[in-house]
Amino acid sequence: MFVVHSICVLVGWIMGRPLDLNFQLFETTTLIMTVLAVAFMLQDGTSNYFKGVILVFCYLIVAANLFSSTLFMELTFVSSFAEDKP
């Protein structure tokens, strides 16, 4: 884990994109909800296709939310930057 994270941080640094563990409220809430969903699905120790489909849909929902939140943050940053320019 330490090696993979270190490599990702270095690659992000080379690309000019900050990559740190400074999670905002949205990312922290998403992480907690996904851990609870996976724990709930695995508590009885069995699996079937229905549980797998539910977990895939949860993954897609999280991915869509993170994409939309980062897109919103980028658009807000661009519009605030454009307003600051004379």
Side-chain angles (χ1 to χ4, degrees), residues 3-5 8-9 14 27-32 34 36 40-41 44-47 54 56-57 65 72 75 85:
V3 174
V4 173
H5 177 64
C8 289
V9 169
I14 291 169
E27 289 92 0
T28 306
T29 306
T30 303
L31 178 65
I32 291 169
T34 54
L36 291 175
F40 180 71
M41 289 291 167
D44 62 349
T46 63
S47 63
I54 289 174
V56 169
F57 280 135
N65 285 333
F72 176 73
L75 290 175
K85 285 185 123 180

Side-chain angles (χ1 to χ4, degrees), residues 21-64:
L21 293 177
N22 184 14
F23 296 124
Q24 303 297 324
L25 180 63
F26 180 75
E27 289 92 0
T28 306
T29 306
T30 303
L31 178 65
I32 291 169
M33 294 301 289
T34 54
V35 167
L36 291 175
V38 170
F40 180 71
M41 289 291 167
L42 298 177
Q43 75 184 17
D44 62 349
T46 63
S47 63
N48 54 34
Y49 288 109
F50 182 66
K51 288 183 179 181
V53 168
I54 289 174
L55 290 175
V56 169
F57 280 135
C58 288
Y59 175 77
L60 292 174
I61 290 169
V62 168

